[in-house]
Amino acid sequence: LLPEYTRREILFMAGQEKIVHLEDLILRRTIMALLGQLSLELLVELADLLAPALEWSEQRTREEIDRTLRIMEREHGVKLAE
């Protein structure tokens, strides 16, 4: 993870900040995207961390990663290598 956020902080946000989708975390609950700190590796790590807390299946976790990649490219012009 990024030095600005611990795993515990991310899990706290998952439980307390009404995160439904991966992009909720990176676009609305943190400033990761704004600071240009995103990478595909980080998205996968965050999704894997959120999955148990939000009761996502493996399929849902992959869908969240894909959804976030599409949103970042379409709405923000950011293409993260896949």
Short mmCIF file of all heavy atoms in Angstrom, two decimals, residues 14-52:
data_model
loop_
_atom_site.label_atom_id
_atom_site.label_comp_id
_atom_site.label_asym_id
_atom_site.label_seq_id
_atom_site.Cartn_x
_atom_site.Cartn_y
_atom_site.Cartn_z
N ALA A 14 -13.60 0.77 4.73
CA ALA A 14 -14.53 -0.21 4.16
C ALA A 14 -15.72 -0.41 5.08
O ALA A 14 -16.86 -0.55 4.62
CB ALA A 14 -13.82 -1.55 3.92
N GLY A 15 -15.48 -0.40 6.38
CA GLY A 15 -16.56 -0.63 7.32
C GLY A 15 -17.36 0.59 7.70
O GLY A 15 -18.54 0.49 8.04
N GLN A 16 -16.74 1.76 7.62
CA GLN A 16 -17.38 2.97 8.14
C GLN A 16 -17.77 4.00 7.09
O GLN A 16 -18.58 4.88 7.37
CB GLN A 16 -16.45 3.64 9.15
CG GLN A 16 -16.10 2.77 10.33
CD GLN A 16 -17.30 2.38 11.15
OE1 GLN A 16 -18.14 3.20 11.46
NE2 GLN A 16 -17.42 1.10 11.49
N GLU A 17 -17.21 3.93 5.91
CA GLU A 17 -17.39 4.99 4.92
C GLU A 17 -18.32 4.62 3.76
O GLU A 17 -18.29 5.25 2.72
CB GLU A 17 -16.02 5.43 4.37
CG GLU A 17 -15.09 5.97 5.41
CD GLU A 17 -15.54 7.31 5.97
OE1 GLU A 17 -16.17 8.09 5.23
OE2 GLU A 17 -15.28 7.57 7.16
N LYS A 18 -19.10 3.57 3.94
CA LYS A 18 -20.09 3.16 2.94
C LYS A 18 -19.48 2.92 1.56
O LYS A 18 -20.01 3.34 0.54
CB LYS A 18 -21.21 4.18 2.86
CG LYS A 18 -22.00 4.29 4.14
CD LYS A 18 -23.15 5.25 3.98
CE LYS A 18 -24.09 5.19 5.14
NZ LYS A 18 -23.80 5.85 6.33
N ILE A 19 -18.36 2.23 1.53
CA ILE A 19 -17.73 1.85 0.27
C ILE A 19 -18.52 0.69 -0.33
O ILE A 19 -18.77 -0.30 0.34
CB ILE A 19 -16.26 1.46 0.48
CG1 ILE A 19 -15.46 2.69 0.89
CG2 ILE A 19 -15.68 0.81 -0.77
CD1 ILE A 19 -14.03 2.39 1.28
N VAL A 20 -18.93 0.86 -1.57
CA VAL A 20 -19.64 -0.19 -2.29
C VAL A 20 -18.78 -0.72 -3.43
O VAL A 20 -18.72 -1.91 -3.68
CB VAL A 20 -20.99 0.33 -2.85
CG1 VAL A 20 -21.68 -0.73 -3.69
CG2 VAL A 20 -21.88 0.80 -1.70
N HIS A 21 -18.10 0.20 -4.12
CA HIS A 21 -17.26 -0.14 -5.26
C HIS A 21 -15.82 0.29 -5.01
O HIS A 21 -15.58 1.21 -4.23
CB HIS A 21 -17.78 0.54 -6.54
CG HIS A 21 -19.14 0.10 -6.93
ND1 HIS A 21 -19.39 -1.15 -7.45
CD2 HIS A 21 -20.33 0.73 -6.87
CE1 HIS A 21 -20.69 -1.26 -7.71
NE2 HIS A 21 -21.27 -0.13 -7.35
N LEU A 22 -14.91 -0.34 -5.71
CA LEU A 22 -13.49 0.01 -5.58
C LEU A 22 -13.25 1.48 -5.88
O LEU A 22 -12.47 2.14 -5.19
CB LEU A 22 -12.66 -0.89 -6.51
CG LEU A 22 -11.15 -0.70 -6.51
CD1 LEU A 22 -10.56 -0.87 -5.12
CD2 LEU A 22 -10.51 -1.68 -7.49
N GLU A 23 -13.94 2.01 -6.87
CA GLU A 23 -13.71 3.43 -7.19
C GLU A 23 -14.20 4.36 -6.09
O GLU A 23 -13.74 5.50 -5.98
CB GLU A 23 -14.30 3.83 -8.55
CG GLU A 23 -15.78 4.11 -8.55
CD GLU A 23 -16.63 2.90 -8.90
OE1 GLU A 23 -16.09 1.78 -9.00
OE2 GLU A 23 -17.83 3.08 -9.08
N ASP A 24 -15.12 3.91 -5.24
CA ASP A 24 -15.52 4.72 -4.09
C ASP A 24 -14.30 5.02 -3.23
O ASP A 24 -14.13 6.15 -2.75
CB ASP A 24 -16.56 4.00 -3.22
CG ASP A 24 -17.91 3.84 -3.90
OD1 ASP A 24 -18.24 4.66 -4.78
OD2 ASP A 24 -18.63 2.89 -3.55
N LEU A 25 -13.46 4.02 -3.03
CA LEU A 25 -12.27 4.20 -2.21
C LEU A 25 -11.27 5.12 -2.89
O LEU A 25 -10.81 6.10 -2.28
CB LEU A 25 -11.61 2.85 -1.92
CG LEU A 25 -10.28 2.92 -1.17
CD1 LEU A 25 -10.50 3.41 0.26
CD2 LEU A 25 -9.58 1.58 -1.19
N ILE A 26 -10.95 4.85 -4.14
CA ILE A 26 -9.85 5.61 -4.76
C ILE A 26 -10.25 7.00 -5.25
O ILE A 26 -9.40 7.88 -5.33
CB ILE A 26 -9.19 4.81 -5.91
CG1 ILE A 26 -10.17 4.57 -7.03
CG2 ILE A 26 -8.60 3.52 -5.40
CD1 ILE A 26 -9.51 4.20 -8.32
N LEU A 27 -11.53 7.21 -5.53
CA LEU A 27 -11.96 8.51 -6.04
C LEU A 27 -12.68 9.37 -5.00
O LEU A 27 -12.68 10.60 -5.11
CB LEU A 27 -12.89 8.34 -7.25
CG LEU A 27 -12.25 7.72 -8.49
CD1 LEU A 27 -13.31 7.42 -9.53
CD2 LEU A 27 -11.18 8.65 -9.05
N ARG A 28 -13.30 8.75 -4.01
CA ARG A 28 -14.14 9.52 -3.09
C ARG A 28 -13.68 9.51 -1.64
O ARG A 28 -13.99 10.42 -0.89
CB ARG A 28 -15.58 9.02 -3.17
CG ARG A 28 -16.17 9.23 -4.54
CD ARG A 28 -17.58 8.65 -4.66
NE ARG A 28 -17.98 8.62 -6.06
CZ ARG A 28 -17.72 7.61 -6.89
NH1 ARG A 28 -17.08 6.55 -6.46
NH2 ARG A 28 -18.11 7.66 -8.15
N ARG A 29 -12.99 8.47 -1.22
CA ARG A 29 -12.60 8.36 0.20
C ARG A 29 -11.12 8.65 0.43
O ARG A 29 -10.70 8.83 1.57
CB ARG A 29 -12.93 6.98 0.75
CG ARG A 29 -14.36 6.52 0.59
CD ARG A 29 -15.37 7.50 1.18
NE ARG A 29 -16.72 6.98 1.20
CZ ARG A 29 -17.57 6.99 0.16
NH1 ARG A 29 -17.18 7.46 -1.01
NH2 ARG A 29 -18.79 6.52 0.29
N THR A 30 -10.34 8.64 -0.63
CA THR A 30 -8.91 8.95 -0.53
C THR A 30 -8.55 9.90 -1.68
O THR A 30 -9.37 10.16 -2.56
CB THR A 30 -8.04 7.69 -0.66
OG1 THR A 30 -8.14 7.18 -2.00
CG2 THR A 30 -8.44 6.61 0.34
N ILE A 31 -7.31 10.38 -1.66
CA ILE A 31 -6.85 11.24 -2.75
C ILE A 31 -5.82 10.53 -3.63
O ILE A 31 -5.05 11.16 -4.34
CB ILE A 31 -6.30 12.58 -2.22
CG1 ILE A 31 -5.16 12.35 -1.22
CG2 ILE A 31 -7.41 13.41 -1.59
CD1 ILE A 31 -4.45 13.63 -0.81
N MET A 32 -5.83 9.21 -3.62
CA MET A 32 -4.88 8.43 -4.42
C MET A 32 -4.92 8.81 -5.89
O MET A 32 -3.88 9.03 -6.51
CB MET A 32 -5.18 6.94 -4.30
CG MET A 32 -4.96 6.34 -2.96
SD MET A 32 -5.48 4.61 -3.00
CE MET A 32 -5.59 4.29 -1.25
N ALA A 33 -6.11 8.83 -6.45
CA ALA A 33 -6.25 9.13 -7.88
C ALA A 33 -5.83 10.56 -8.17
O ALA A 33 -5.14 10.82 -9.16
CB ALA A 33 -7.68 8.87 -8.33
N LEU A 34 -6.24 11.47 -7.33
CA LEU A 34 -5.91 12.89 -7.52
C LEU A 34 -4.41 13.12 -7.53
O LEU A 34 -3.89 13.93 -8.30
CB LEU A 34 -6.56 13.72 -6.41
CG LEU A 34 -6.38 15.22 -6.48
CD1 LEU A 34 -7.05 15.79 -7.73
CD2 LEU A 34 -6.95 15.89 -5.24
N LEU A 35 -3.70 12.39 -6.71
CA LEU A 35 -2.25 12.55 -6.63
C LEU A 35 -1.49 11.73 -7.67
O LEU A 35 -0.26 11.76 -7.71
CB LEU A 35 -1.76 12.16 -5.23
CG LEU A 35 -2.25 13.05 -4.09
CD1 LEU A 35 -1.76 12.51 -2.75
CD2 LEU A 35 -1.82 14.49 -4.29
N GLY A 36 -2.23 10.98 -8.51
CA GLY A 36 -1.58 10.18 -9.54
C GLY A 36 -0.81 8.99 -9.00
O GLY A 36 0.17 8.56 -9.59
N GLN A 37 -1.27 8.44 -7.90
CA GLN A 37 -0.56 7.34 -7.25
C GLN A 37 -1.07 5.96 -7.65
O GLN A 37 -0.59 4.96 -7.14
CB GLN A 37 -0.66 7.49 -5.73
CG GLN A 37 -0.01 8.75 -5.22
CD GLN A 37 -0.25 8.97 -3.74
OE1 GLN A 37 -1.33 8.74 -3.23
NE2 GLN A 37 0.78 9.41 -3.06
N LEU A 38 -2.02 5.90 -8.55
CA LEU A 38 -2.62 4.61 -8.89
C LEU A 38 -1.77 3.82 -9.87
O LEU A 38 -1.12 4.38 -10.75
CB LEU A 38 -3.99 4.82 -9.52
CG LEU A 38 -5.07 5.35 -8.61
CD1 LEU A 38 -6.38 5.48 -9.37
CD2 LEU A 38 -5.26 4.46 -7.41
N SER A 39 -1.81 2.53 -9.68
CA SER A 39 -1.22 1.59 -10.63
C SER A 39 -2.13 0.37 -10.64
O SER A 39 -2.95 0.19 -9.73
CB SER A 39 0.19 1.18 -10.18
OG SER A 39 0.11 0.43 -8.97
N LEU A 40 -1.98 -0.45 -11.64
CA LEU A 40 -2.78 -1.67 -11.68
C LEU A 40 -2.46 -2.53 -10.46
O LEU A 40 -3.36 -3.09 -9.83
CB LEU A 40 -2.52 -2.44 -12.97
CG LEU A 40 -3.29 -3.75 -13.11
CD1 LEU A 40 -4.79 -3.53 -13.02
CD2 LEU A 40 -2.92 -4.44 -14.42
N GLU A 41 -1.20 -2.60 -10.11
CA GLU A 41 -0.79 -3.39 -8.94
C GLU A 41 -1.48 -2.89 -7.67
O GLU A 41 -1.96 -3.68 -6.86
CB GLU A 41 0.73 -3.32 -8.79
CG GLU A 41 1.26 -4.11 -7.62
CD GLU A 41 2.77 -3.99 -7.46
OE1 GLU A 41 3.40 -3.13 -8.10
OE2 GLU A 41 3.31 -4.78 -6.68
N LEU A 42 -1.56 -1.58 -7.50
CA LEU A 42 -2.21 -1.02 -6.32
C LEU A 42 -3.71 -1.31 -6.33
O LEU A 42 -4.29 -1.65 -5.30
CB LEU A 42 -1.95 0.48 -6.21
CG LEU A 42 -2.61 1.16 -5.00
CD1 LEU A 42 -2.13 0.56 -3.69
CD2 LEU A 42 -2.34 2.66 -5.05
N LEU A 43 -4.36 -1.18 -7.50
CA LEU A 43 -5.79 -1.48 -7.59
C LEU A 43 -6.08 -2.93 -7.18
O LEU A 43 -7.02 -3.19 -6.44
CB LEU A 43 -6.31 -1.25 -9.01
CG LEU A 43 -6.58 0.17 -9.43
CD1 LEU A 43 -7.14 0.18 -10.85
CD2 LEU A 43 -7.51 0.87 -8.49
N VAL A 44 -5.25 -3.84 -7.66
CA VAL A 44 -5.42 -5.26 -7.32
C VAL A 44 -5.22 -5.46 -5.82
O VAL A 44 -6.00 -6.15 -5.16
CB VAL A 44 -4.46 -6.14 -8.14
CG1 VAL A 44 -4.46 -7.57 -7.63
CG2 VAL A 44 -4.84 -6.10 -9.61
N GLU A 45 -4.20 -4.84 -5.27
CA GLU A 45 -3.93 -4.97 -3.83
C GLU A 45 -5.10 -4.42 -3.01
O GLU A 45 -5.54 -5.05 -2.04
CB GLU A 45 -2.64 -4.23 -3.48
CG GLU A 45 -2.25 -4.40 -2.02
CD GLU A 45 -0.93 -3.72 -1.67
OE1 GLU A 45 -0.28 -3.13 -2.56
OE2 GLU A 45 -0.56 -3.78 -0.49
N LEU A 46 -5.62 -3.27 -3.40
CA LEU A 46 -6.75 -2.68 -2.68
C LEU A 46 -8.00 -3.53 -2.80
O LEU A 46 -8.73 -3.73 -1.83
CB LEU A 46 -7.01 -1.26 -3.18
CG LEU A 46 -5.95 -0.22 -2.83
CD1 LEU A 46 -6.18 1.06 -3.62
CD2 LEU A 46 -5.92 0.05 -1.33
N ALA A 47 -8.27 -4.02 -4.00
CA ALA A 47 -9.44 -4.88 -4.21
C ALA A 47 -9.33 -6.15 -3.37
O ALA A 47 -10.31 -6.57 -2.74
CB ALA A 47 -9.60 -5.22 -5.69
N ASP A 48 -8.16 -6.74 -3.34
CA ASP A 48 -7.95 -7.95 -2.54
C ASP A 48 -8.11 -7.67 -1.05
O ASP A 48 -8.57 -8.52 -0.30
CB ASP A 48 -6.58 -8.56 -2.82
CG ASP A 48 -6.49 -9.22 -4.18
OD1 ASP A 48 -7.54 -9.51 -4.79
OD2 ASP A 48 -5.35 -9.45 -4.65
N LEU A 49 -7.74 -6.49 -0.62
CA LEU A 49 -7.89 -6.11 0.78
C LEU A 49 -9.36 -5.85 1.13
O LEU A 49 -9.84 -6.26 2.18
CB LEU A 49 -7.05 -4.86 1.06
CG LEU A 49 -7.03 -4.34 2.49
CD1 LEU A 49 -6.50 -5.42 3.44
CD2 LEU A 49 -6.19 -3.09 2.58
N LEU A 50 -10.08 -5.19 0.22
CA LEU A 50 -11.49 -4.88 0.46
C LEU A 50 -12.40 -6.10 0.35
O LEU A 50 -13.44 -6.16 1.03
CB LEU A 50 -11.98 -3.84 -0.55
CG LEU A 50 -11.46 -2.42 -0.40
CD1 LEU A 50 -11.94 -1.56 -1.57
CD2 LEU A 50 -11.89 -1.81 0.92
N ALA A 51 -12.04 -7.06 -0.49
CA ALA A 51 -12.93 -8.18 -0.81
C ALA A 51 -13.50 -8.89 0.42
O ALA A 51 -14.72 -9.04 0.52
CB ALA A 51 -12.22 -9.16 -1.74
N PRO A 52 -12.69 -9.34 1.36
CA PRO A 52 -13.29 -10.02 2.52
C PRO A 52 -14.17 -9.10 3.36
O PRO A 52 -15.22 -9.50 3.84
CB PRO A 52 -12.08 -10.50 3.32
CG PRO A 52 -10.91 -10.40 2.42
CD PRO A 52 -11.23 -9.37 1.40
#
